[in-house]
Amino acid sequence: MKRILFLAFIAIATSTTMVGCSKKDSPEPKEITVSSISVKPEVSEMVIGESIQLSISFLPTNAKEPIYEISSSNSEILKIENLKITGLKEGDTDLEIKVKGANVKTNLKIKVLPISPVSLDLSLEKKEISIGESAQVKYAIQPQNTTNIDGKTILWSSSDENIAVVDSTGIITGKSAGKVDIIGKIEGTAIIGKISISVTTINVNSITLQSEKPSLIVGEKTTLFYTVLPENATNKSIRWSSSNNNIATVSDGIVTAISIGTVKINAVTVDGEKSASVEILVINPKVSNIILNRGSLKLEAGLSEQIFADVYPSSADDKSLTWTSSNTSVASVDNSGNVTAKSSGTAQIIAKSKSNPSIYAVCNVQVVNSADLVQTYVSSTSAVIINGVYTGNVSSVISNLSSKTVKFISFQIKNSNGSIVSQNNDSQNIESNKQITFSARLTNVNLPVIYYLFEIDGKQETRTISVIK
């Protein structure tokens, strides 16, 4: 700070004429008055808060000590207390010092200047942080009475932002290992402060590994979960390996089952070589689907037929099935899927996976008696029918769809009165899947009806067919 001091000296020439006289004629002595004053130091500039003690001298020196009146053109800028002046606020003011009761005065033009910062001190509670860790830079502007010190803005920067960054509030965050300078600058000035800080890595202490699935089906995948401690470790990278890639492979923690067996999956930290492992059992898949070669089956009582099942996937570990019947009085089934029809009715044949009982397939079985498989019907007619009176030719068939031999006994056509108008009583056998056709010429037959009599399984059965539909 510049302070200009002037020493003022005022020389006043005086002349005194000495006149001789007698003591009787001597006049009263004349009072000597102040003719000029000067101030030391003569101040032109001072800073806010600065105080200066003024001293005033007067001439002639043998004059009586005067009383002074001191005033400022702006009391907000300069404070006056006795002969001490103190800068209060930035600005210009005129200081007037006057001899009371006389027209003797002197003036000073004083400029009050702000207190400018001289330096910026930076400090840290710790000079070392870890990667990802933060620290606050503290600062102090010097001198401490710098004008508007709280309104000063500090601009922050890092000498290497790859190592550490610093935000607008002076918070440092470590990015990578190394040493870096943090620089603070008082905005609007060239004043800077600098402090060094080291960024260190956080080493891995341990790793744990776990699998949600202790066993995998061939072809299945699972993701392993791991925890590296401490959580803020710098390098948490993992190297993965399998004890047997023929059983299971691993990539980025994803395990893929290849073939049945037991395998150990290992995880090792790149930092510190900390390791953990889990054991995985790889098994063949469970049964997921069963398809039967027959969805439905019609069987003659007493006969058997085998139902075949395809079990999927083909690589399933246990493809064995349990066969059951919902109604064993109608149809039974053995462990190989052989169904035996017992009596007329319906039943469900169920094939269920032993290893995965929730998977099953059903065949709906209808059992019919042998006699029900003997069919009779009118195969053709060529006739004139007037009011139910039939004249013409008629043909009828008896067909054996059973596995048994049918013994044909008789064929008859009767009119509405029950009289026989045509018949064939030549007994003969009808083998399985064979048939016999009968034809007759009818003349003026009222409401003709065909009657069949046959024998199967030692029992006689009858069939009745109306010729006129």
Side-chain angles (χ1 to χ4, degrees):
M1 178 172 299
K2 179 179 179 184
R3 177 185 295 171
I4 303 175
L5 304 177
F6 297 94
L7 299 178
F9 300 95
I10 302 175
I12 301 176
T14 61
S15 63
T16 306
T17 302
M18 303 296 294
V19 179
C21 61
S22 66
K23 182 176 181 181
K24 178 179 179 181
D25 295 331
S26 294
E28 290 288 330
K30 188 177 181 179
E31 182 179 351
I32 301 172
T33 60
V34 173
S35 61
S36 67
I37 60 175
S38 62
V39 179
K40 294 182 181 180
E42 188 171 337
V43 182
S44 64
E45 290 183 352
M46 61 190 303
V47 297
I48 295 171
E50 183 181 10
S51 294
I52 299 175
Q53 184 69 47
L54 301 177
S55 64
I56 304 173
S57 59
F58 58 88
L59 291 174
T61 57
N62 60 344
K64 182 181 179 181
E65 179 79 28
I67 298 173
Y68 301 107
E69 293 177 341
I70 305 176
S71 63
S72 169
S73 62
N74 192 331
S75 60
E76 292 183 355
I77 294 175
L78 195 67
K79 177 184 176 182
I80 303 170
E81 187 177 5
N82 296 325
L83 289 178
K84 184 171 73 174
I85 59 173
T86 302
L88 298 178
K89 180 180 177 182
E90 182 180 1
D92 297 324
T93 185
D94 291 327
L95 182 67
E96 182 182 81
I97 304 173
K98 182 179 179 182
V99 175
K100 185 177 180 180
N103 190 26
V104 178
K105 61 182 179 180
T106 187
N107 292 290
L108 295 176
K109 288 188 176 293
I110 298 177
K111 179 185 288 293
V112 179
L113 303 172
I115 301 174
S116 299
V118 174
S119 64
L120 179 64
D121 297 337
L122 304 184
S123 63
L124 283 165
E125 288 186 359
K126 50 184 178 180
K127 293 293 187 73
E128 184 177 284
I129 60 174
S130 303
I131 294 174
E133 190 180 3
S134 296
Q136 175 72 61
V137 183
K138 295 181 180 180
Y139 69 90
I141 297 174
Q142 301 298 341
Q144 294 181 3
N145 61 344
T146 296
T147 302
N148 192 27
I149 192 168
D150 293 332
K152 302 295 183 187
T153 299
I154 307 301
L155 304 177
W156 298 100
S157 62
S158 168
S159 64
D160 191 340
E161 292 192 343
N162 292 320
I163 296 175
V165 295
V166 59
D167 68 11
S168 61
T169 64
I171 295 178
I172 307 167
T173 302
K175 292 294 184 181
S176 64
K179 192 171 184 178
V180 66
D181 289 331
I182 301 300
I183 301 137
K185 179 182 179 182
I186 302 175
E187 187 177 29
T189 74
I191 298 170
I192 66 170
K194 185 185 294 185
I195 193 167
S196 296
I197 189 168
S198 296
V199 180
T200 60
T201 59
I202 301 174
N203 295 326
V204 172
N205 292 333
S206 65
I207 179 175
T208 57
L209 188 63
Q210 62 181 14
S211 172
E212 289 185 343
K213 296 182 177 181
S215 63
L216 295 177
I217 295 170
V218 172
E220 189 178 9
K221 294 184 179 183
T222 189
T223 300
L224 300 181
F225 298 94
Y226 67 91
T227 302
V228 173
L229 294 177
E231 292 183 358
N232 60 341
T234 301
N235 185 358
K236 299 169 77 172
S237 300
I238 303 295
R239 291 195 304 267
W240 297 93
S241 64
S242 169
S243 63
N244 191 333
N245 286 322
N246 293 322
I247 296 175
T249 60
V250 61
S251 176
D252 293 330
I254 300 174
V255 180
T256 302
I258 305 299
S259 62
I260 61 172
T262 301
V263 66
K264 184 177 287 187
I265 304 299
N266 304 298
V268 179
T269 63
V270 173
D271 176 24
E273 298 287 322
K274 307 298 181 181
S275 64
S277 63
V278 293
E279 194 169 82
I280 301 290
L281 175 64
V282 180
I283 59 176
N284 277 325
K286 291 183 178 181
V287 173
S288 60
N289 194 20
I290 301 170
I291 299 177
L292 302 180
N293 67 322
R294 300 291 296 269
S296 62
L297 179 64
K298 189 175 183 178
L299 273 181
E300 183 181 351
L303 296 185
S304 296
E305 185 170 331
Q306 187 174 14
I307 299 174
F308 296 97
D310 290 324
V311 180
Y312 296 94
S314 58
S315 58
D317 193 39
D318 181 4
K319 295 191 286 184
S320 59
L321 302 176
T322 300
W323 295 87
T324 57
S325 170
S326 65
N327 192 339
T328 55
S329 64
V330 173
S332 61
V333 63
D334 65 14
N335 292 332
S336 299
N338 293 303
V339 179
T340 300
K342 292 186 175 181
S343 62
S344 177
T346 59
Q348 287 187 328
I349 302 301
I350 303 166
K352 183 178 292 185
S353 169
K354 286 185 177 179
S355 61
N356 190 6
S358 63
I359 303 300
Y360 61 90
V362 176
C363 175
N364 294 305
V365 176
Q366 180 185 8
V367 177
V368 295
N369 293 325
S370 299
D372 296 332
L373 296 175
V374 178
Q375 298 180 354
T376 58
Y377 54 92
V378 174
S379 59
S380 67
T381 60
S382 61
V384 176
I385 303 173
I386 300 175
N387 295 326
V389 177
Y390 188 100
T391 298
N393 297 321
V394 62
S395 295
S396 179
V397 174
I398 179 171
S399 175
N400 179 16
L401 299 179
S402 75
S403 61
K404 312 290 178 63
T405 298
V406 174
K407 181 181 179 181
F408 169 76
I409 298 175
S410 67
F411 163 82
Q412 296 177 340
I413 300 177
K414 296 180 180 181
N415 62 16
S416 59
N417 295 325
S419 299
I420 298 174
V421 296
S422 179
Q423 63 179 336
N424 185 326
N425 296 317
D426 295 333
S427 177
Q428 56 183 300
N429 290 332
I430 306 173
E431 301 299 329
S432 175
N433 294 318
K434 299 295 183 180
Q435 64 182 30
I436 300 174
T437 303
F438 296 96
S439 300
R441 173 71 183 177
L442 302 180
T443 303
N444 297 326
V445 177
N446 186 40
L447 302 175
V449 176
I450 298 173
Y451 294 88
Y452 280 101
L453 178 64
F454 61 91
E455 183 180 308
I456 187 170
D457 283 337
K459 295 180 181 180
Q460 287 190 354
E461 303 283 343
T462 60
R463 297 286 188 272
T464 302
I465 311 169
S466 176
V467 175
I468 300 174
K469 302 297 183 183

